[in-house]
């Protein structure tokens, strides 16, 4: 008899997005003539930029010729891309990395799930509440049931303070999904200090760093002195360059970063991650990596920044118009996410139902990201400008 890994049974049902979808579909069936606008999903809407497309076309052609065909790639990723990442993403911000510290992969999601395999199940893990669900669920799948939740509330500006208790692994997401808030230099410094003191590890998810506009906000945790000893950084081309369907990302595992055996022997996680990747992951696609390389050309940079600007303008427009009618709106400036306080203390799901049923606008109930999200609602700037304007005008009409 094959027995199941019961950890999977400890997961809550994928209640949030499946419920949103079910409710939306039911509405569409009932009112087929209504145009439903979604500001709910965290997926981009603009196509890949021309420079990336050209680079990928060229890479496809290379695959068609005997002389330039490429088979299995290098597990770590190709040097041509790693070198560009180090130069453009890090050196320009005063961070030096070695090529063996950057690992290319097919999306951050997979690496977030993989990285915790390197760390003992005995570790105390802390996540924020509300939280990007994958942090929590990958830990539950590993069999960890005592996750510590740090409350991110209006009172603390959605930035929980350093925990009083000891934790070994901390997930930080900045700019944050779902709250749209960012960690500043001082706050990051405090976490790095905490991690050093506690020999803890920070898993730093900064897949939305391209949305940072405020000059004082760090783009990488390695801008903080000493962070290489305690932090793994996750970056993705998904939100940066619209690769949600192409799949491309990179993870930085610094050589200085150590975890400890029960006898207090320091182990280099970079080596373990390489070993893990070479066993479980077959290297990222060559064609994707050529596309990602093109992001770092001057043209590529200009083109992706145009796209980001488009989303930023959506965010700014939504924030401005909603604030005009008295909504309290967080996020939306260094982030594609708006974290909207529901009016009159409405429950997240009641607000969802109201928007869907009365004006055919779909967003994401904050409570779906954790109990502290109750009374909030997440809107994304990833829709088209036309749909954003239309959705906002419907909301304005409904609440004035
Ligand atoms: C979208 C998202 C990711 C996943 O990115 P992929 O590279 O597409 O797997 C990771 N973290 C957060 C917070 C995200 O919103």
């Amino acid at each position: 008899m094959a027995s199941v890994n019961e950890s999977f049974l400890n997961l809550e049902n994928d209640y949030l997005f499946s419920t949103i979808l079910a409710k939306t579909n039911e509405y569409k069936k009932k009112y087929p003539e209504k145009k439903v606008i979604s500001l709910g999903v965290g997926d981009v809407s603009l196509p890949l930029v021309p420079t990336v497309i050209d680079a990928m076309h060229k890479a496809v052609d290379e695959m068609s010729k005997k002389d330039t065909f490429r088979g299995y790639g290098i597990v770590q990723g190709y040097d041509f891309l790693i070198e560009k990442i180090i130069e453009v993403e890090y050196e320009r911000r005063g961070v030096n990395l070695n090529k063996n510290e950057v690992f290319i992969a097919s999306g951050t999601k997979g690496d977030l799930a993989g990285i915790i395999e390197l760390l003992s199940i005995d570790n105390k893990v802390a996540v924020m509440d509300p939280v990007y669900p994958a942090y929590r669920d990958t830990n539950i799948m590993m069999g960890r049931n005592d996750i510590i939740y740090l409350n991110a509330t209006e009172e603390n500006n959605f930035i929980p303070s350093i925990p009083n208790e000891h934790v070994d692994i901390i997930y930080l997401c900045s700019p944050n999904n779902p709250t749209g808030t960012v960690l500043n230099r001082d706050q990051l410094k405090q976490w790095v200090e905490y991690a050093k003191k506690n020999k803890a590890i920070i898993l730093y998810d900064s897949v939305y760093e391209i949305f940072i506009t405020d000059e004082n906000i760090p783009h990488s945790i390695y801008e903080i002195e000493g962070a290489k000893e305690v932090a793994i950084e996750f970056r993705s081309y998904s939100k940066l360059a619209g690769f949600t369907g192409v799949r491309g990302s990179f993870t930085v595992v610094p050589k200085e970063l150590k975890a400890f055996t029960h006898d207090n022997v320091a182990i280099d996680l970079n080596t373990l991650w390489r070993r893990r990747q070479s066993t479980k992951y077959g290297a990222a696609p060559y064609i994707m990596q050529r596309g990602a390389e093109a992001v770092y050309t001057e043209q590529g940079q200009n083109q992706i920044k145009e796209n980001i600007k488009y989303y930023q303008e959506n965010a700014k427009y939504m924030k401005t118009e909603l604030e005009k009618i008295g909504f309290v709106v967080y996020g939306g400036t260094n982030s594609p996410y708006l974290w909207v306080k529901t009016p009159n203390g409405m429950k997240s799901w009641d607000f969802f139902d109201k928007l869907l049923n009365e004006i055919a606008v779909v967003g994401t109930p904050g409570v779906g990201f954790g109990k502290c999200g109750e009374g909030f609602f997440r809107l994304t700037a990833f829709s088209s400008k036309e749909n954003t304007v239309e959705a906002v005008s419907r909301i304005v009409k409904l609440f004035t």
Side-chain angles (χ1 to χ4, degrees):
M1 183 182 74
S3 56
V4 70
N5 177 353
E6 293 191 24
S7 294
F8 278 71
L9 309 182
N10 294 331
L11 294 164
E12 278 177 43
N13 287 331
D14 189 9
Y15 178 68
L16 180 60
F17 289 102
S18 56
T19 308
I20 291 172
L21 194 67
K23 284 182 180 246
T24 307
N25 285 341
E26 192 187 330
Y27 178 87
K28 282 180 178 167
K29 223 159 132 194
K30 226 159 122 188
Y31 305 103
E33 74 289 355
K34 291 262 204 277
K35 183 189 168 198
V36 176
I37 298 178
S38 176
L39 303 179
V41 286
D43 196 358
V44 295
S45 59
L46 294 173
L48 297 173
V49 299
T51 304
V52 167
I53 290 292
D54 290 346
M56 292 204 294
H57 276 161
K58 205 172 138 227
V60 170
D61 288 340
E62 285 176 40
M63 289 297 203
S64 73
K65 297 185 195 90
K66 198 162 185 294
D67 289 349
T68 48
F69 168 76
R70 308 240 185 174
Y72 280 125
I74 304 160
V75 167
Q76 179 128 19
Y78 286 105
D79 276 353
F80 62 76
L81 177 56
I82 293 174
E83 283 165 7
K84 281 289 168 198
I85 290 170
I86 290 175
E87 181 197 325
V88 181
E89 304 280 10
Y90 291 100
E91 277 173 5
R92 287 185 194 175
R93 299 193 183 280
V95 175
N96 292 309
L97 291 174
N98 287 319
K99 283 196 287 192
N100 64 2
E101 295 176 304
V102 179
F103 294 83
I104 312 296
S106 311
T108 292
K109 245 188 175 179
D111 280 9
L112 283 169
I115 206 83
I116 55 177
E117 292 174 10
L118 308 187
L119 298 158
S120 157
I121 195 73
D122 305 336
N123 287 301
K124 280 266 167 281
V125 171
V127 301
M128 314 264 156
D129 177 348
V131 66
Y132 177 62
Y135 307 155
R136 179 196 61 213
D137 289 350
T138 50
N139 275 284
I140 294 173
M141 287 174 182
M142 288 279 292
R144 188 174 279 117
N145 292 312
D146 53 352
I147 298 168
I148 294 161
Y149 291 92
L150 308 175
N151 294 344
T153 60
E154 219 175 357
E155 287 70 39
N156 60 23
N157 276 312
F158 307 99
I159 313 270
S161 47
I162 305 292
N164 295 323
E165 57 198 313
H166 172 89
V167 301
D168 307 294
I169 301 170
I170 306 131
Y171 286 83
L172 296 179
C173 180
S174 174
N176 191 273
N177 179 7
T179 65
T181 49
V182 280
L183 291 164
N184 66 28
R185 203 167 290 275
D186 280 344
Q187 290 155 341
L188 273 178
K189 241 187 215 159
Q190 285 178 33
W191 283 108
V192 169
E193 272 162 30
Y194 174 88
K196 280 180 141 176
K197 209 165 85 201
N198 288 275
K199 292 187 171 175
I201 288 177
I202 297 170
L203 301 178
Y204 192 67
D205 181 339
S206 52
V207 302
Y208 295 100
E209 68 82 17
I210 190 75
F211 285 91
I212 295 173
T213 48
D214 185 336
E215 278 177 22
N216 298 316
I217 302 297
H219 286 244
S220 162
I221 194 165
Y222 305 124
E223 291 177 50
I224 308 301
E225 206 187 314
K228 279 191 202 167
E229 290 162 47
V230 292
I232 296 174
E233 181 161 289
F234 300 88
R235 295 275 194 95
S236 172
Y237 294 99
S238 284
K239 320 299 172 14
L240 170 70
F243 278 36
T244 49
V246 175
R247 309 305 296 143
S249 63
F250 60 93
T251 295
V252 180
V253 188
K255 268 289 181 191
E256 290 100 311
L257 185 91
K258 306 280 194 266
F260 300 85
T261 66
H262 286 296
D263 308 328
N264 215 14
V265 179
I267 304 290
D268 165 10
L269 287 188
N270 178 286
T271 305
L272 294 196
W273 184 242
R274 179 169 297 103
R275 184 64 201 272
R276 189 266 178 200
Q277 290 298 78
S278 59
T279 302
K280 293 199 174 185
Y281 180 67
Y286 174 69
I287 297 164
M288 179 283 287
Q289 293 188 66
R290 282 298 186 196
E293 180 193 26
V295 165
Y296 296 115
T297 60
E298 198 186 326
Q299 253 185 345
Q301 288 285 294
N302 291 338
Q303 290 169 357
I304 62 159
K305 281 174 189 162
E306 275 304 305
N307 283 5
I308 298 300
K309 209 167 100 196
Y310 179 91
Y311 299 133
Q312 283 168 331
E313 278 166 9
N314 283 347
K316 190 173 168 192
Y317 178 80
M318 285 195 281
K319 192 177 171 80
T320 312
E321 296 304 308
L322 293 178
E323 283 176 345
K324 267 189 210 160
I325 57 163
F327 274 87
V328 177
V329 182
Y330 297 95
T333 44
N334 293 297
S335 160
Y337 295 115
L338 274 70
W339 191 240
V340 181
K341 193 173 183 181
T342 59
N344 310 317
M346 265 177 107
K347 298 265 190 207
S348 297
W349 276 109
D350 291 340
F351 188 69
F352 174 91
D353 289 334
K354 185 175 174 71
L355 291 197
L356 176 63
N357 294 322
E358 297 182 28
I359 55 171
V361 170
V362 175
T364 312
V367 71
F369 298 100
K371 66 177 189 324
C372 293
E374 182 60 281
F376 287 88
F377 202 68
R378 193 191 73 173
L379 295 177
T380 86
F382 286 128
S383 198
S384 70
K385 183 176 173 181
E386 297 69 35
N387 281 347
T388 303
V389 170
E390 168 76 25
V392 168
S393 94
R394 292 184 198 173
I395 296 172
V396 169
K397 226 189 249 162
L398 184 63
F399 288 96
T400 47

